[in-house]
């Protein structure tokens, strides 16, 4: 077949290249079989198969061989995808993306663009691991246009646009998510965040309610979503609404980490803000503002204690493996209590917290 591809009488015939594609794809199929006697017949079979299929498509103006040739193009695309997976597993992000590019091109050439979605997804994940924001956009945005169901795609793009201050594009991503996954409460929560960062609190609250209605028959999930709703309100400084959602979550499911930690962290952060405000009061101020802010800080610190204690208690009751997965959460709670007890001069309560922190540090060495 190599000779036919070079011969003057046959090198411009689509049929020749159709046979070449079939032969090299067959060689490739044999190469996958460990005990095949043709396993090492041609190590460069994939490149030759790709070239043959593309040349056949170029010469086949009447589309006489298009069905078989498109199947070969798809086969080549899938082979590049499989090689890209191995590179991903080896943390070779750039070469993984390069092979995904080839895979995407082959699927597009085959007329089966929908087959390229897994390659786009893999390339996007490689770009994320390589911290290549430009490439993330390049690979994930086409998936949004095709209405992917992948939550990761929407979350990643939403956060990128939000962090860049492009609230319009962030809301568009959320809207696409809601259209692609109308039954997914996560899409409603993303819509809520999108509306709220644009200042549309009413629409944001409506989306949160839609999300909550989708989990009303699942108490644990409903409690989790109420806590997420609390964090959403907290992110736009609506602390009263946030507190209501956190407390509603804890009423639904008292023994949990997310709402306890969320509520404790919110109170803690507000206490720190009050403390900063107090420290910025001019020394010669005689209005009593410093004392007022300092007392408000202490009150918020005090309110945070039971929530952090409950969050720690929840982690302590987990099995050993799950505790290990929650080590960073435990450390965050202990560090927060360490600050709180020190600020409130609760030294008896501070000692065991310090001891646990030191023990965790030693265990990590």
């Amino acid at each position: 077949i190599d000779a036919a591809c070079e011969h003057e009488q046959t090198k411009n015939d689509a049929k020749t290249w159709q046979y070449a594609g079939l032969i090299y794809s067959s060689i490739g199929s044999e190469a996958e079989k460990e005990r095949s006697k043709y396993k090492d017949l041609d190590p460069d079979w994939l490149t030759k198969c790709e070239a043959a299929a593309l040349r056949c498509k170029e010469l086949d103006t009447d589309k006489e061989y298009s069905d078989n040739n498109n199947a070969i193009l798809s086969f080549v695309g899938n082979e590049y995808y499989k090689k890209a997976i191995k590179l991903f597993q080896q943390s070779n992000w750039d070469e993984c993306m390069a092979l995904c590019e080839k895979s995407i091109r082959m699927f597009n050439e085959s007329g089966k663009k929908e087959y390229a979605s897994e390659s786009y997804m893999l390339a996007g994940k490689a770009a994320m691991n390589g911290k290549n924001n430009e490439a993330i956009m390049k690979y994930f945005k086409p998936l949004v246009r095709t209405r992917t169901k992948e939550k990761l795609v929407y979350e990643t793009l939403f956060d990128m646009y939000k962090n860049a201050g492009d609230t319009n594009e962030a809301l568009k991503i959320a809207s696409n998510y809601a259209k692609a996954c109308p039954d997914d409460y996560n899409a409603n929560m993303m819509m809520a965040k999108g509306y709220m960062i644009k200042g549309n609190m009413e629409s944001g609250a409506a989306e949160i309610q839609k999300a909550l209605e989708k989990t009303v028959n699942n108490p644990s999930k409903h409690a989790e979503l109420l806590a997420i709703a609390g964090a959403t309100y907290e992110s736009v400084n609506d602390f009263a609404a946030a507190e209501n959602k956190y407390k509603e979550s804890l009423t639904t499911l008292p023994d949990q980490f997310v709402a306890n930690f969320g509520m404790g962290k919110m109170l803690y952060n507000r206490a720190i803000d009050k403390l900063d405000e107090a420290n910025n009061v001019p020394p010669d101020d005689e209005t009593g503002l410093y004392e007022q802010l300092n007392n408000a800080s202490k009150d918020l610190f005090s309110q945070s204690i039971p929530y952090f204690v409950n969050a720690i208690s929840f982690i302590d009751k987990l099995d050993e493996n799950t505790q290990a997965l929650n080590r960073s959460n435990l450390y965050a709670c202990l560090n927060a209590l360490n600050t709180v007890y020190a600020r409130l001069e609760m030294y008896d309560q501070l000692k065991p917290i310090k001891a646990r922190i030191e023990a965790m540090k030693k265990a990590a060495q």
Side-chain angles (χ1 to χ4, degrees):
I1 193 62
D2 289 343
C5 290
E6 295 177 3
H7 198 280
E8 288 297 324
Q9 292 182 346
T10 52
K11 69 178 184 179
N12 292 319
D13 188 340
K15 185 177 183 179
T16 302
W17 295 98
Q18 165 71 356
Y19 278 127
L22 286 169
I23 289 169
Y24 278 108
S25 63
S26 296
I27 289 173
S29 297
E30 286 295 317
E32 297 293 312
K33 302 173 184 175
E34 284 295 324
R35 297 185 180 181
S36 171
K37 63 180 180 178
Y38 302 112
K39 186 177 186 302
D40 301 315
L41 183 60
D42 192 331
D44 198 30
W45 67 267
L46 184 55
T47 302
K48 293 177 180 178
C49 188
E50 175 188 357
L54 290 173
R55 183 61 175 155
C56 177
K57 182 177 181 179
E58 179 185 357
L59 295 171
D60 188 22
T61 54
D62 296 332
K63 302 191 182 302
E64 182 179 354
Y65 307 104
S66 63
D67 288 346
N68 285 337
N69 196 56
N70 285 338
I72 294 171
L73 287 165
S74 291
F75 172 78
V76 172
N78 192 56
E79 291 299 314
Y80 278 130
Y81 173 68
K82 290 194 294 186
K83 289 180 178 292
I85 290 176
K86 291 180 181 178
L87 289 169
F88 185 91
Q89 293 168 342
Q90 296 165 7
S91 302
N92 193 334
W93 315 127
D94 289 339
E95 289 191 30
C96 172
M97 286 188 284
L99 284 191
C100 284
E101 284 278 358
K102 290 189 174 186
S103 173
I104 290 165
R105 185 195 174 195
M106 291 300 101
F107 285 128
N108 287 341
E109 291 283 356
S110 75
K112 298 290 186 180
K113 292 184 178 182
E114 64 273 20
Y115 292 175
S117 60
E118 292 298 324
S119 300
Y120 276 114
M121 190 70 198
L122 182 64
K125 288 180 178 178
M128 288 178 67
N129 288 333
K131 295 180 170 49
N132 187 335
N133 287 347
E134 184 179 346
I136 294 171
M137 288 283 188
K138 176 182 178 181
Y139 296 120
F140 276 178
K141 286 177 73 174
L143 291 173
V144 172
R145 288 194 290 271
T146 58
R147 298 285 170 83
T148 181
K149 307 292 186 185
E150 293 284 352
K151 177 185 173 185
L152 176 67
V153 171
Y154 298 105
E155 286 185 335
T156 302
L157 292 177
F158 180 87
D159 287 341
M160 288 178 71
Y161 282 123
K162 183 187 71 173
N163 294 338
D166 194 340
T167 56
N168 288 330
E169 285 301 318
L171 187 55
K172 285 180 184 177
I173 293 297
S175 179
N176 276 291
Y177 187 12
K179 290 173 183 175
C181 307
D183 298 325
D184 188 347
Y185 63 84
N186 291 297
N188 296 110
M189 292 304 296
M190 188 180 291
M191 285 288 289
K193 291 177 185 176
Y195 279 127
M196 287 178 170
I197 59 177
K198 287 181 68 66
N200 189 342
M201 304 302 290
E202 184 177 348
S203 294
E207 289 295 332
I208 287 176
Q209 189 56 37
K210 288 179 187 176
L212 290 170
E213 288 170 359
K214 291 176 180 178
T215 59
V216 70
N217 294 321
N218 186 336
S220 62
K221 185 60 67 176
H222 192 65
E224 179 186 344
L225 194 55
L226 282 164
I228 295 171
T232 303
Y233 280 115
E234 181 187 351
S235 69
V236 293
N237 297 327
D238 189 343
F239 300 121
E243 184 172 340
N244 286 337
K245 292 304 178 188
Y246 282 134
K247 287 184 175 179
E248 190 178 346
S249 175
L250 289 168
T251 299
T252 305
L253 186 67
D255 191 19
Q256 58 159 302
F257 175 81
V258 178
N260 274 306
F261 180 67
M263 185 69 173
K265 180 171 65 66
M266 182 180 73
L267 293 166
Y268 176 91
N269 288 336
R270 289 179 64 198
I272 293 293
D273 289 341
K274 293 293 183 184
L275 193 59
D276 289 341
E277 289 179 46
N279 291 332
N280 287 329
V281 174
D284 57 352
D285 180 84
E286 297 181 359
T287 65
L289 180 58
Y290 175 83
E291 289 78 12
Q292 180 183 341
L293 290 169
N294 195 47
N295 288 335
S297 173
K298 288 182 178 180
D299 182 54
L300 288 165
F301 274 136
S302 181
Q303 289 180 50
S304 74
I305 292 173
Y307 296 105
F308 285 128
V309 169
N310 288 340
I312 292 170
S313 176
F314 177 81
I315 294 174
D316 286 344
K317 288 184 289 187
L318 298 172
D319 62 75
E320 188 174 340
N321 290 333
T322 313
Q323 279 189 25
L325 295 174
N326 280 274
R327 187 180 183 281
S328 61
N329 289 331
L330 176 60
Y331 195 71
C333 290
L334 290 170
N335 267 316
L337 275 183
N338 184 64
T339 300
V340 170
Y341 288 146
R343 284 286 173 186
L344 299 178
E345 300 179 357
M346 300 172 65
Y347 299 117
D348 289 341
Q349 293 87 341
L350 180 61
K351 289 177 184 177
I353 296 298
K354 279 188 173 295
R356 289 195 68 172
I357 292 173
E358 289 303 314
M360 289 185 73
K361 287 180 178 178
K362 286 181 181 179
Q365 290 176 352

